[in-house]
Amino acid sequence: MYAFRTISVKPKLPEEIKRLKELAYNFWFSWNTNARALFRKINETLWDDVNHNPVKFLLHVNEEDLEDIAQNDEYIKDYNRVFADFDRYMNRKTWFEKIYPQYNTAPVAYFSAEFGLHESHPIYSGGLGLLAGDHLKSASDLGIPLVGVGLLYRHGYFNQAINRDGSQVAQYLHHTFSERPIIPVADGKEKLISVEMSGRTVYAKVWKCLVGRITLYMLDSNIPQNSLEDRKITDQLYGGDRETRISQEILLGIGGVKALRLEGINPAAWHINEGHAAFLILERIRELVAGGLSFETAREIVSSNTLFTTHTPVPAGHDLFSAEQIERYLGNLYEQLNIEREDLLELGWDEERKEFNMTLLALRISSYCNGVSKLHGEVTKEMFSYLYPGVPVEEVPVHYITNGVHTGSWLAQEIKDLYYIYLGEDWHENITDRNVWKKVREIPDNLLWAVHQSLKEKMISFARKNLKKQRLRNQEPTNRVKEVEQFLRPNVFTIGFARRFATYKRAGLLFLDRERLEKLINNPHMPVQIVFAGKAHPADTAGQELISQVYSLSNEEPFKGKIVFLENYDIHMARILVQGVDIWLNTPRRPMEASGTSGQKAAANGVLNLSILDGWWPEGYNGENGFAIGEKKHYDSEDMQDRDDCYSLYATLEEKVLPAYYGLDGAFPREWLRMMKNSIVTISPVFSTERMVQEYSERFYIPSIKRWSYFTEDNYSAARRFKDFKQAITENWQHVSINRVETNANREINVGSLLKITAYVHLGPLCPDDVDLEVVYGNITDRGLTNISISPMTYEDSGEDGAHRYLGQLILPQGTYGYTVRVIPGHQDFVRKFELPLIIWSGNF
């Protein structure tokens, strides 16, 4: 490839509307309908042609159109109103400034491999990216001092085409960054960072984009300073082989830290969103070791303010690299970290798989770890319980914060307008206030139904255009193109199923009973139609086969025009579907859905959920705000689980869902509308990223910042002491034992009576201040105790034989319980109880 420079020749913006450029470069437009309307009103056709990309729009719009609109008085009024809102948003006092003013200058670094901000910036593939994008938006709304860090993919994730035989075709488009809402980071000249990997230096250009008040930094390796091979590192999101993957993750983690340092940004807390970015840990430790600290002390300091969020309970979702790869790519760090090869491998070594596991690296060197729903938190505890031998699963130190959605980004404007009328002009500034959402019940049924039906018609029109475009591209016969105009009907109950086509999400669950499906679809009194959309990873042949199965079925006579598959699922299509279908179907194989957020987006728009009790739905479902499929139970056989869930799905549709939808009470299905309102009222204030980011701030960000300050003050003295304590405990734990336990009761005790337990413990070289003794009690199961409660024991004295006496006293509630005594390390600086996974249980109970 020969060298060339890029230059953009743009039409001049009239003075009256010159701030459109400013708006185009801030993703605030992505959740403000009126802002996007400023571009659409200039040239609606062009706006759609450029996929709602305001930068590309301003590059290609006719100068005459700009001059004409600048003379339009109504347009100028709208323009002034939008920028008054924008300025107010950017300068208002925020939640974080009011609650935590003393931490307003301490930034949080949020690392993610993908960010789903808007269809005009395709560096996302699915739920992880959309969650990350919504996280940034709510951080902006709340005023969190946060910066995002990611990679800038030249080809993004693939565009999906469905060919004539129903096969998915992956198309990787070349994106011109000068036409995107992003700008290079420059100080006279463009800024570059460099990363050593596999015996070579890889350079990356730093870009940034604005997300309201938040800055997202992105790294791009496709620059002349790199070899052709290294320029491809940031070609594709989740593309290439494991060599590409480890290169991307080194660039994201290590390069991301360097990019922040280049900008003079020194975060006080670090948030790793999934294991892809975990190598940032190594770079942060390297920095501290270079400053004269030992590896062990640096590790404690880095851990002190690191938060790790894991998103997948699927083992295949955790990145693994061979020992040879780690040595080849990161062997240069041994000397810089002042450790041996085995020490580095140990940080992420997965003994079961015999490979280096990025999730384990993040988990082992993070003071805080969370799953993304209550159920996922429990599954993650179980998944990683082997790292905590002897510790009850329910006490494994993994927390959860349930995911949410950025409400403003996913609501239809028509629904927003209803909320402004009935919830109040400031409802959008009180997303988490349940009392505000209760006012939804005041919306007249006829009005809510009319708005929903209009959104449904818009969705159907969009679906027909998508199918027509697909068939024209595939050069299908005229009759095949024309028949699309009759597909889907506004008066028919419509199911939406749109998500990544991974097999565990079971897009084909309805197809397991073909005869019943045909009767359901063609019921003359209560007909059903289904809209499918979603991409399967190019390497996922089983997922692609599912797409072909849906496509094939949609062309069979009993289902033609009633089941459709829309190609190239993206943020734009997602908005239209979650706003326009009647019910959102979610059928993952429990418990493999970590959270899922598409159903939350649907609920905010009044679309009901029909879902397996997995992910967030067990927390959201109350029996009156949607429908549940299957049971909360464990299956040993996937086939049996699929069969039971299929039968439950059909029974729920036939006996509950369709009668409610088609049961008219006057002119409207009032039972359905009652459930729509229940769904909005109960789900919207809880399952929002506003609540989620507030929770991250209160539970993790602020404690991380405080812990970082404490560990780094006075020349890292607290970190050094903490490291020494851990080392002493680890070296001497073998000497700890519980000699005997005495109690004042045998097998029975009266209600309200005090149970006294005395334990005699040998600690070897350790002293009583180094440990905690606890009485542990709970319900009895064949696996031990569950629903555990803890009662601390107090140190009494030491005997001549060297045994230390501890006393525990508690009053048990009525019932039958198991109880025992244990010893664990104890230190004032532990942020979680089993930071050192060491435990001694009484052996004579």
Side-chain angles (χ1 to χ4, degrees):
M1 172 66 73
Y2 48 85
F4 62 88
R5 291 187 179 183
T6 301
I7 186 169
S8 297
V9 182
K10 303 178 180 180
K12 184 180 180 182
L13 277 170
E15 186 68 22
E16 295 86 348
I17 56 173
K18 66 179 181 180
R19 291 189 71 190
L20 284 180
K21 180 180 179 182
E22 179 185 355
L23 185 61
Y25 281 95
N26 192 314
F27 279 93
W28 181 78
F29 73 77
S30 70
W31 68 92
N32 190 289
T33 311
N34 294 328
R36 296 193 302 276
L38 291 182
F39 300 100
R40 178 179 290 279
K41 287 174 182 177
I42 297 171
N43 187 324
E44 185 170 354
T45 301
L46 177 61
W47 178 247
D48 289 335
D49 287 345
V50 299
N51 202 27
H52 318 124
N53 178 342
V55 172
K56 193 172 183 179
F57 178 88
L58 292 179
L59 178 62
H60 294 281
V61 69
N62 290 329
E63 196 165 292
E64 294 81 4
D65 290 341
L66 295 174
E67 291 170 351
D68 288 345
I69 206 73
Q71 304 308 312
N72 185 309
D73 291 342
E74 285 302 313
Y75 182 87
I76 295 300
K77 285 181 183 178
D78 293 339
Y79 171 91
N80 290 334
R81 192 177 303 117
V82 166
F83 278 97
D85 289 343
F86 179 62
D87 292 338
R88 186 162 45 250
Y89 176 87
M90 295 296 288
N91 295 298
R92 67 192 173 96
K93 192 161 188 178
T94 65
W95 170 82
F96 193 86
E97 290 172 315
K98 295 173 185 174
I99 304 297
Y100 302 110
Q102 68 272 40
Y103 300 111
N104 201 41
T105 58
V108 176
Y110 181 86
F111 280 62
S112 182
E114 51 175 307
F115 288 89
L117 297 169
H118 187 253
E119 59 267 25
S120 63
H121 191 41
I123 57 169
Y124 62 92
S125 72
L128 177 70
L130 296 183
L131 184 280
D134 282 7
H135 193 112
L136 297 192
K137 293 175 183 179
S138 282
S140 173
D141 293 342
L142 294 166
I144 313 293
L146 182 144
V147 293
V149 179
L151 297 180
L152 185 57
Y153 305 98
R154 180 67 56 173
H155 302 297
Y157 201 51
F158 70 94
N159 274 28
Q160 178 197 55
I162 304 299
N163 65 18
R164 292 182 70 160
D165 66 6
S167 299
Q168 171 181 282
V169 178
Q171 302 171 331
Y172 288 94
L173 304 182
H174 179 87
H175 296 287
T176 302
F177 293 158
S178 60
E179 295 182 348
R180 297 261 283 275
I182 61 177
I183 57 172
V185 173
D187 184 12
K189 63 178 182 177
E190 294 175 346
K191 293 187 176 182
L192 305 181
I193 59 97
S194 64
V195 176
E196 300 298 316
M197 62 173 83
S198 193
R200 67 193 193 275
T201 302
V202 176
Y203 298 90
K205 180 178 175 179
V206 185
W207 296 74
K208 69 178 180 179
C209 67
L210 300 177
V211 185
R213 294 164 167 252
I214 302 299
T215 301
L216 168 62
Y217 293 94
M218 299 155 291
L219 300 177
D220 167 26
S221 73
N222 188 11
I223 55 177
Q225 289 83 350
N226 287 329
S227 68
L228 182 60
E229 200 60 33
D230 289 338
R231 293 181 69 157
K232 295 178 180 178
I233 291 174
T234 54
D235 263 9
Q236 301 171 10
L237 171 59
Y238 304 141
D241 55 17
R242 287 214 290 181
E243 298 292 314
T244 302
R245 181 63 67 87
I246 193 172
S247 299
Q248 288 184 339
E249 298 191 358
I250 290 171
L251 187 62
L252 172 61
I254 296 177
V257 175
K258 291 188 173 188
L260 293 180
R261 303 304 191 204
L262 188 67
E263 281 294 275
I265 298 170
N266 297 302
W270 301 74
H271 188 169
I272 303 173
N273 189 44
E274 197 55 285
H276 311 302
F279 285 136
L280 72 83
I281 289 167
L282 301 183
E283 174 61 15
R284 293 185 58 213
I285 293 176
R286 186 202 64 77
E287 292 177 328
L288 291 167
V289 171
L293 294 178
S294 70
F295 172 82
E296 292 76 14
T297 301
R299 173 177 174 161
E300 295 301 336
I301 294 166
V302 168
S303 174
S304 72
N305 66 343
T306 301
L307 161 65
F308 171 51
T309 298
T310 177
H311 287 261
T312 176
V314 183
H318 303 275
D319 289 330
L320 301 171
F321 301 114
S322 69
E324 183 275 330
Q325 278 183 300
I326 294 297
E327 178 163 19
R328 180 155 46 88
Y329 278 86
L330 296 170
N332 62 295
L333 289 179
Y334 300 157
E335 183 176 348
Q336 296 178 56
L337 295 174
N338 196 23
I339 58 175
E340 301 296 326
R341 170 183 182 272
E342 291 70 23
D343 298 323
L344 179 57
L345 285 175
E346 186 183 356
L347 298 178
W349 192 249
D350 188 326
E351 186 59 32
E352 180 180 343
R353 298 177 176 85
K354 305 298 182 186
E355 292 194 282
F356 190 93
N357 187 324
M358 295 294 285
T359 299
L360 295 189
L361 171 63
L363 190 63
R364 285 175 176 144
I365 312 185
S366 296
S367 283
Y368 309 90
C369 174
N370 72 284
V372 289
S373 70
K374 185 175 186 292
L375 178 58
H376 179 231
E378 294 168 1
V379 170
T380 305
K381 286 174 183 284
E382 181 78 45
M383 180 183 293
F384 296 116
S385 60
Y386 70 93
L387 298 175
Y388 301 88
V391 176
V393 171
E394 63 187 86
E395 290 191 277
V396 170
V398 175
H399 308 281
Y400 77 91
I401 291 181
T402 303
N403 283 346
V405 298
H406 184 255
T407 311
S409 292
W410 297 102
L411 278 181
Q413 184 59 42
E414 295 88 336
I415 295 289
K416 285 183 183 178
D417 291 341
L418 275 184
Y419 292 169
Y420 279 118
I421 294 170
Y422 291 94
L423 275 62
E425 285 294 320
D426 61 348
W427 70 268
H428 61 288
E429 295 180 0
N430 298 282
I431 297 292
T432 60
D433 189 334
R434 300 186 188 210
N435 289 323
V436 169
W437 288 97
K438 288 177 181 178
K439 298 175 184 177
V440 163
R441 303 191 194 283
E442 299 172 11
I443 301 174
D445 284 354
N446 63 334
L447 192 53
L448 181 58
W449 188 247
V451 168
H452 174 69
Q453 285 299 103
S454 71
L455 292 170
K456 188 174 180 180
E457 290 175 7
K458 183 188 293 186
M459 182 275 297
I460 289 173
S461 175
F462 173 87
R464 288 171 178 171
K465 288 177 182 176
N466 179 283
L467 292 165
K468 185 176 182 180
K469 181 180 178 182
Q470 173 191 324
R471 294 187 176 188
L472 284 170
R473 187 195 63 249
N474 288 334
Q475 298 182 344
E476 299 197 36
T478 303
N479 65 312
R480 285 269 298 166
V481 175
K482 203 164 178 56
E483 69 180 358
V484 167
E485 296 171 5
Q486 305 305 315
F487 282 10
L488 305 176
R489 292 177 292 162
N491 62 335
V492 172
F493 177 73
T494 304
I495 298 172
F497 183 100
R499 53 189 38 86
R500 186 163 54 91
F501 260 62
T503 50
Y504 78 86
K505 293 179 182 284
R506 299 190 298 182
L509 192 64
L510 271 169
F511 306 157
L512 295 182
D513 192 332
R514 168 69 179 265
E515 183 179 346
R516 203 167 177 182
L517 176 63
E518 186 173 338
K519 289 180 180 177
L520 185 77
I521 295 291
N522 294 292
N523 184 320
H525 306 295
M526 297 186 294
V528 174
Q529 57 196 15
I530 312 173
V531 180
F532 285 94
K535 297 176 180 178
H537 190 280
D540 183 2
T541 53
Q544 292 178 56
E545 178 54 38
L546 265 177
I547 291 174
S548 295
Q549 186 181 355
V550 175
Y551 179 85
S552 177
L553 199 75
S554 72
N555 283 294
E556 295 182 23
E557 199 51 51
F559 307 113
K560 186 182 287 187
K562 302 160 188 174
I563 293 178
V564 300
F565 184 91
L566 308 184
E567 67 180 12
N568 204 31
Y569 184 50
D570 68 356
I571 288 179
H572 177 55
M573 184 187 294
R575 278 198 304 269
I576 290 172
L577 293 181
V578 298
Q579 294 166 5
V581 299
D582 292 309
I583 204 162
W584 196 253
L585 178 63
N586 187 35
T587 54
R589 183 175 287 113
R590 178 184 162 95
M592 298 179 75
E593 184 77 278
S595 175
T597 56
S598 57
Q600 300 167 356
K601 297 159 190 164
N605 285 284
V607 172
L608 296 183
N609 277 272
L610 170 61
S611 178
I612 297 289
L613 287 163
D614 198 11
W616 72 279
W617 191 229
E619 298 169 61
Y621 174 65
N622 67 7
E624 299 291 330
N625 61 357
F627 304 92
I629 306 166
E631 302 177 69
K632 298 179 181 178
K633 61 183 286 188
H634 172 75
Y635 285 88
D636 293 323
S637 164
E638 289 186 356
D639 288 341
M640 184 176 291
Q641 184 177 13
D642 292 349
R643 185 201 64 190
D644 285 1
D645 287 346
C646 177
Y647 290 157
S648 175
L649 172 55
Y650 273 108
T652 304
L653 279 167
E654 294 163 350
E655 299 168 16
K656 297 179 181 178
V657 176
L658 293 174
Y661 182 84
Y662 283 107
L664 296 180
D665 179 6
F668 310 105
R670 298 199 184 275
E671 172 62 13
W672 191 264
L673 281 156
R674 183 186 69 82
M675 293 187 73
M676 285 174 67
K677 291 179 179 179
N678 284 343
S679 176
I680 296 170
V681 168
T682 58
I683 293 173
S684 297
V686 179
F687 298 96
S688 71
T689 43
E690 179 157 318
R691 181 273 310 157
M692 183 191 83
V693 175
Q694 284 179 338
E695 206 169 335
Y696 273 111
S697 298
E698 292 162 350
R699 293 178 58 190
F700 297 136
Y701 292 166
I702 297 302
S704 290
I705 293 169
K706 290 179 178 178
R707 192 167 169 82
W708 168 256
S709 176
Y710 170 62
F711 267 47
T712 55
E713 66 186 6
D714 191 24
N715 194 28
Y716 309 106
S717 60
R720 296 176 199 269
R721 290 194 303 270
F722 195 47
K723 180 264 296 182
D724 291 342
F725 170 80
K726 282 188 172 183
Q727 185 175 337
I729 289 288
T730 303
E731 291 174 352
N732 293 290
W733 194 249
Q734 59 185 320
H735 300 295
V736 178
S737 63
I738 300 176
N739 287 10
R740 71 182 190 275
V741 177
E742 300 172 350
T743 177
N744 67 332
N746 191 6
R747 293 187 175 275
E748 293 182 357
I749 194 170
N750 292 327
V751 172
S753 296
L754 187 67
L755 176 65
K756 294 184 178 181
I757 303 166
T758 304
Y760 296 87
V761 182
H762 271 99
L763 299 177
L766 301 179
C767 64
D769 288 342
D770 295 332
V771 300
D772 290 331
L773 261 77
E774 298 174 330
V775 178
V776 180
Y777 62 95
N779 302 123
I780 304 167
T781 71
D782 56 356
R783 298 180 64 185
L785 302 181
T786 188
N787 297 323
I788 285 173
S789 295
I790 306 296
S791 179
M793 303 181 75
T794 56
Y795 173 72
E796 295 290 300
D797 54 37
S798 299
E800 292 183 2
D801 61 351
H804 302 280
R805 185 167 64 95
Y806 287 79
L807 175 64
Q809 302 182 84
L810 65 154
I811 297 175
L812 293 170
Q814 187 172 339
T816 300
Y817 299 91
Y819 70 95
T820 187
V821 171
R822 71 186 183 192
V823 187
I824 60 175
H827 194 278
Q828 63 177 7
D829 292 339
F830 278 170
V831 74
R832 46 195 167 98
K833 179 173 288 187
F834 295 105
E835 192 157 330
L836 274 178
L838 301 172
I839 188 167
I840 301 290
W841 293 92
S842 173
N844 57 1
F845 259 42

